[in-house]
Amino acid sequence: MILPDATIGMLGGGQLGRMFITAAHNLGYRVVVLEPDPYSPAGLIADEHLVAAYDDHEAIIQLAQRCDVITTEFENIPAKVLKTLSASCPVHPKASVLEKTQDRNIEKAFIRSCGLLPVPYGSITSYSEIAPAVDKIKFPAIMKTARFGYDGKGQCQVNSLDEVKQAYRRFEQQHCVLEQMINLKCEISVVLARNEAGESCYFPVSENIHIDGILHQSLVPARVSDDIKQSVQVAAKRIADKLDYVGVLAVEFFITQEDGILVNEIAPRTHNSGHYTMDACITSQFEQQVRVLCGLPFGDTSLLSPVVMTNLLGDCWNLALDKPILNYSSILASSKSKLHLYAKRDARIGRKMGHFNTLAKTSQIAKEEADAIFMQINKTISIPSC
Ligand SMILES: Nc1ncnc2c1ncn2[C@@H]1O[C@H](COP(=O)(O)OP(=O)(O)O)[C@@H](O)[C@H]1O
Ligand SMILES: [Mg+2]
């Protein structure tokens, strides 16, 4: 067991790292961040911030020397960095996990090896694989770069063989995956924690509404049957077990119109769809990650209240001003809502700047309240009805 007062290392400096640090501080731990951006959300509140590239040899040595355990908040840390660190310090997740989740083609093959269904797809790792990939799917489809995509980036919709060829050229012949576009009933996700003894603990399943490929809201309880909730939890546990995972892991699922369950993505870290736990669960996903890393018992994951988490993208900032600001008065005026901002210096379209959690008697009522607040913040954004 790693007791409070010990030091945890964090690779990556984004908002997930920032919220992890707050949870670690609440339990009395220190955190050292390795992140090249000197103004990163996590670096700003870390006990120590090593400002260097993730693969900077000196910085990696310093991190290993200073820390009792090391984790990541960002799945694109080079897997070899984790391998190097693990020679002198416990590291979770392991390099072998990142190797499986950093590349969409490897990830989908792994999902299949767990006996689960990925979205129908074809791999494109060379020009000659385009035609066989197209044969495996039905249009419309989405072409995605195999690596480094997030928040809908590195993706485009395609409707014919010619458009796939164009997209391949536009993505500069990087490895890609061609995915059939699914007519979704809804999207849900499971955030779970797994410890070194192989025990797992789930947070309640969340229902996720995306706009333009970016998460907009998470509703909990999700409006799906108990059977579906149980099936996705079993599927997520199978994935965590097969990875021999230690830490917090999220799995995104697509639910088809026929109630089929497809695994979309695996995130080897805390997840945006788990931010609701900060105000609606006894233990947040960030505290749970601290607990698992340090070998403490799991915290209780019971839901205290139905909740909706709403993301605040840079689009909600008044970008026409010299110093863009968010008009957050409607969030602060809502006695049932809690605002979380990530202290990012520049607001940009599509950039995650913060979120707010709204509690209510049901997730549907929480959504109505959150939608009204969101509309006040930015009247120009249309909200999907569901
Ligand atoms: N094959 C698909 N069919 C339908 N919607 C999709 C498909 N792939 C992606 N999307 C939509 O785009 C979102 C982001 O895609 P995802 O593959 O999860 O990439 P990211 O890494 O950017 O989260 C999904 O949550 C979903 O709303
Ligand atoms: Mg995703």
PDB file of all heavy atoms in Angstrom, residues 2-20:
ATOM      1  N   ILE A   2       0.547   2.192  -0.839  1.00  0.00           N
ATOM      2  CA  ILE A   2       1.310   3.450  -0.888  1.00  0.00           C
ATOM      3  C   ILE A   2       0.530   4.470  -0.051  1.00  0.00           C
ATOM      4  O   ILE A   2      -0.594   4.835  -0.401  1.00  0.00           O
ATOM      5  CB  ILE A   2       1.476   3.911  -2.356  1.00  0.00           C
ATOM      6  CG1 ILE A   2       2.283   2.853  -3.125  1.00  0.00           C
ATOM      7  CG2 ILE A   2       2.132   5.276  -2.428  1.00  0.00           C
ATOM      8  CD1 ILE A   2       2.287   3.056  -4.624  1.00  0.00           C
ATOM      9  N   LEU A   3       1.114   4.878   1.047  1.00  0.00           N
ATOM     10  CA  LEU A   3       0.348   5.687   2.012  1.00  0.00           C
ATOM     11  C   LEU A   3       0.406   7.172   1.664  1.00  0.00           C
ATOM     12  O   LEU A   3       1.337   7.633   0.993  1.00  0.00           O
ATOM     13  CB  LEU A   3       0.905   5.445   3.416  1.00  0.00           C
ATOM     14  CG  LEU A   3       0.726   4.008   3.914  1.00  0.00           C
ATOM     15  CD1 LEU A   3       1.435   3.812   5.251  1.00  0.00           C
ATOM     16  CD2 LEU A   3      -0.758   3.669   4.039  1.00  0.00           C
ATOM     17  N   PRO A   4      -0.598   7.937   2.146  1.00  0.00           N
ATOM     18  CA  PRO A   4      -0.584   9.382   1.932  1.00  0.00           C
ATOM     19  C   PRO A   4       0.759   9.970   2.343  1.00  0.00           C
ATOM     20  O   PRO A   4       1.420   9.455   3.250  1.00  0.00           O
ATOM     21  CB  PRO A   4      -1.717   9.876   2.830  1.00  0.00           C
ATOM     22  CG  PRO A   4      -2.677   8.726   2.860  1.00  0.00           C
ATOM     23  CD  PRO A   4      -1.826   7.486   2.813  1.00  0.00           C
ATOM     24  N   ASP A   5       1.116  11.043   1.654  1.00  0.00           N
ATOM     25  CA  ASP A   5       2.399  11.711   1.775  1.00  0.00           C
ATOM     26  C   ASP A   5       3.362  11.197   0.703  1.00  0.00           C
ATOM     27  O   ASP A   5       4.399  11.792   0.469  1.00  0.00           O
ATOM     28  CB  ASP A   5       3.022  11.538   3.170  1.00  0.00           C
ATOM     29  CG  ASP A   5       4.025  12.653   3.430  1.00  0.00           C
ATOM     30  OD1 ASP A   5       3.802  13.742   2.873  1.00  0.00           O
ATOM     31  OD2 ASP A   5       5.028  12.428   4.130  1.00  0.00           O
ATOM     32  N   ALA A   6       3.001  10.076   0.063  1.00  0.00           N
ATOM     33  CA  ALA A   6       3.826   9.579  -1.035  1.00  0.00           C
ATOM     34  C   ALA A   6       3.601  10.461  -2.263  1.00  0.00           C
ATOM     35  O   ALA A   6       2.730  11.334  -2.272  1.00  0.00           O
ATOM     36  CB  ALA A   6       3.443   8.137  -1.344  1.00  0.00           C
ATOM     37  N   THR A   7       4.391  10.222  -3.306  1.00  0.00           N
ATOM     38  CA  THR A   7       4.310  11.049  -4.516  1.00  0.00           C
ATOM     39  C   THR A   7       3.875  10.205  -5.708  1.00  0.00           C
ATOM     40  O   THR A   7       4.432   9.141  -5.972  1.00  0.00           O
ATOM     41  CB  THR A   7       5.678  11.702  -4.790  1.00  0.00           C
ATOM     42  OG1 THR A   7       6.016  12.491  -3.653  1.00  0.00           O
ATOM     43  CG2 THR A   7       5.638  12.592  -6.025  1.00  0.00           C
ATOM     44  N   ILE A   8       2.880  10.725  -6.404  1.00  0.00           N
ATOM     45  CA  ILE A   8       2.354  10.051  -7.595  1.00  0.00           C
ATOM     46  C   ILE A   8       2.847  10.826  -8.830  1.00  0.00           C
ATOM     47  O   ILE A   8       2.825  12.059  -8.830  1.00  0.00           O
ATOM     48  CB  ILE A   8       0.810  10.033  -7.577  1.00  0.00           C
ATOM     49  CG1 ILE A   8       0.287   9.390  -6.281  1.00  0.00           C
ATOM     50  CG2 ILE A   8       0.262   9.303  -8.809  1.00  0.00           C
ATOM     51  CD1 ILE A   8      -1.231   9.494  -6.104  1.00  0.00           C
ATOM     52  N   GLY A   9       3.271  10.116  -9.862  1.00  0.00           N
ATOM     53  CA  GLY A   9       3.689  10.761 -11.106  1.00  0.00           C
ATOM     54  C   GLY A   9       2.551  10.717 -12.105  1.00  0.00           C
ATOM     55  O   GLY A   9       1.809   9.735 -12.182  1.00  0.00           O
ATOM     56  N   MET A  10       2.416  11.809 -12.863  1.00  0.00           N
ATOM     57  CA  MET A  10       1.349  11.878 -13.870  1.00  0.00           C
ATOM     58  C   MET A  10       1.959  12.259 -15.208  1.00  0.00           C
ATOM     59  O   MET A  10       2.580  13.320 -15.329  1.00  0.00           O
ATOM     60  CB  MET A  10       0.326  12.934 -13.419  1.00  0.00           C
ATOM     61  CG  MET A  10      -0.745  13.284 -14.423  1.00  0.00           C
ATOM     62  SD  MET A  10      -1.759  11.880 -14.924  1.00  0.00           S
ATOM     63  CE  MET A  10      -2.815  11.671 -13.509  1.00  0.00           C
ATOM     64  N   LEU A  11       1.796  11.392 -16.203  1.00  0.00           N
ATOM     65  CA  LEU A  11       2.249  11.713 -17.566  1.00  0.00           C
ATOM     66  C   LEU A  11       1.082  12.381 -18.284  1.00  0.00           C
ATOM     67  O   LEU A  11       0.027  11.765 -18.476  1.00  0.00           O
ATOM     68  CB  LEU A  11       2.651  10.430 -18.294  1.00  0.00           C
ATOM     69  CG  LEU A  11       3.918   9.759 -17.762  1.00  0.00           C
ATOM     70  CD1 LEU A  11       3.925   8.271 -18.103  1.00  0.00           C
ATOM     71  CD2 LEU A  11       5.146  10.421 -18.354  1.00  0.00           C
ATOM     72  N   GLY A  12       1.263  13.633 -18.661  1.00  0.00           N
ATOM     73  CA  GLY A  12       0.190  14.375 -19.321  1.00  0.00           C
ATOM     74  C   GLY A  12      -0.305  15.473 -18.406  1.00  0.00           C
ATOM     75  O   GLY A  12      -0.314  15.307 -17.178  1.00  0.00           O
ATOM     76  N   GLY A  13      -0.718  16.585 -19.025  1.00  0.00           N
ATOM     77  CA  GLY A  13      -1.062  17.751 -18.204  1.00  0.00           C
ATOM     78  C   GLY A  13      -2.455  18.306 -18.444  1.00  0.00           C
ATOM     79  O   GLY A  13      -2.729  19.449 -18.091  1.00  0.00           O
ATOM     80  N   GLY A  14      -3.343  17.505 -19.021  1.00  0.00           N
ATOM     81  CA  GLY A  14      -4.678  18.010 -19.351  1.00  0.00           C
ATOM     82  C   GLY A  14      -5.626  18.059 -18.164  1.00  0.00           C
ATOM     83  O   GLY A  14      -5.217  17.898 -17.008  1.00  0.00           O
ATOM     84  N   GLN A  15      -6.914  18.263 -18.498  1.00  0.00           N
ATOM     85  CA  GLN A  15      -7.908  18.419 -17.425  1.00  0.00           C
ATOM     86  C   GLN A  15      -8.102  17.157 -16.614  1.00  0.00           C
ATOM     87  O   GLN A  15      -8.393  17.215 -15.412  1.00  0.00           O
ATOM     88  CB  GLN A  15      -9.249  18.911 -17.982  1.00  0.00           C
ATOM     89  CG  GLN A  15      -9.973  17.964 -18.918  1.00  0.00           C
ATOM     90  CD  GLN A  15      -9.613  18.231 -20.376  1.00  0.00           C
ATOM     91  OE1 GLN A  15      -8.595  18.870 -20.670  1.00  0.00           O
ATOM     92  NE2 GLN A  15     -10.431  17.755 -21.286  1.00  0.00           N
ATOM     93  N   LEU A  16      -7.910  15.985 -17.237  1.00  0.00           N
ATOM     94  CA  LEU A  16      -8.077  14.739 -16.470  1.00  0.00           C
ATOM     95  C   LEU A  16      -7.006  14.674 -15.391  1.00  0.00           C
ATOM     96  O   LEU A  16      -7.253  14.263 -14.261  1.00  0.00           O
ATOM     97  CB  LEU A  16      -8.007  13.520 -17.391  1.00  0.00           C
ATOM     98  CG  LEU A  16      -9.068  13.456 -18.503  1.00  0.00           C
ATOM     99  CD1 LEU A  16      -8.825  12.258 -19.410  1.00  0.00           C
ATOM    100  CD2 LEU A  16     -10.471  13.397 -17.921  1.00  0.00           C
ATOM    101  N   GLY A  17      -5.798  15.099 -15.759  1.00  0.00           N
ATOM    102  CA  GLY A  17      -4.700  15.143 -14.791  1.00  0.00           C
ATOM    103  C   GLY A  17      -4.988  16.154 -13.690  1.00  0.00           C
ATOM    104  O   GLY A  17      -4.722  15.904 -12.514  1.00  0.00           O
ATOM    105  N   ARG A  18      -5.544  17.295 -14.068  1.00  0.00           N
ATOM    106  CA  ARG A  18      -5.848  18.342 -13.074  1.00  0.00           C
ATOM    107  C   ARG A  18      -6.852  17.833 -12.027  1.00  0.00           C
ATOM    108  O   ARG A  18      -6.653  18.000 -10.824  1.00  0.00           O
ATOM    109  CB  ARG A  18      -6.423  19.560 -13.811  1.00  0.00           C
ATOM    110  CG  ARG A  18      -6.754  20.731 -12.912  1.00  0.00           C
ATOM    111  CD  ARG A  18      -7.358  21.863 -13.747  1.00  0.00           C
ATOM    112  NE  ARG A  18      -7.780  22.960 -12.918  1.00  0.00           N
ATOM    113  CZ  ARG A  18      -7.023  24.013 -12.602  1.00  0.00           C
ATOM    114  NH1 ARG A  18      -5.804  24.108 -13.056  1.00  0.00           N
ATOM    115  NH2 ARG A  18      -7.501  24.979 -11.848  1.00  0.00           N
ATOM    116  N   MET A  19      -7.917  17.174 -12.502  1.00  0.00           N
ATOM    117  CA  MET A  19      -8.941  16.705 -11.556  1.00  0.00           C
ATOM    118  C   MET A  19      -8.410  15.538 -10.718  1.00  0.00           C
ATOM    119  O   MET A  19      -8.774  15.384  -9.553  1.00  0.00           O
ATOM    120  CB  MET A  19     -10.225  16.363 -12.319  1.00  0.00           C
ATOM    121  CG  MET A  19     -10.865  17.625 -12.896  1.00  0.00           C
ATOM    122  SD  MET A  19     -12.410  17.394 -13.781  1.00  0.00           S
ATOM    123  CE  MET A  19     -11.835  17.043 -15.452  1.00  0.00           C
ATOM    124  N   PHE A  20      -7.505  14.756 -11.311  1.00  0.00           N
ATOM    125  CA  PHE A  20      -6.843  13.681 -10.553  1.00  0.00           C
ATOM    126  C   PHE A  20      -6.010  14.288  -9.424  1.00  0.00           C
ATOM    127  O   PHE A  20      -6.010  13.802  -8.291  1.00  0.00           O
ATOM    128  CB  PHE A  20      -5.955  12.856 -11.498  1.00  0.00           C
ATOM    129  CG  PHE A  20      -5.073  11.874 -10.779  1.00  0.00           C
ATOM    130  CD1 PHE A  20      -5.525  10.592 -10.498  1.00  0.00           C
ATOM    131  CD2 PHE A  20      -3.794  12.227 -10.371  1.00  0.00           C
ATOM    132  CE1 PHE A  20      -4.720   9.685  -9.817  1.00  0.00           C
ATOM    133  CE2 PHE A  20      -2.981  11.328  -9.690  1.00  0.00           C
ATOM    134  CZ  PHE A  20      -3.445  10.048  -9.417  1.00  0.00           C
TER     135      PHE A  20
END
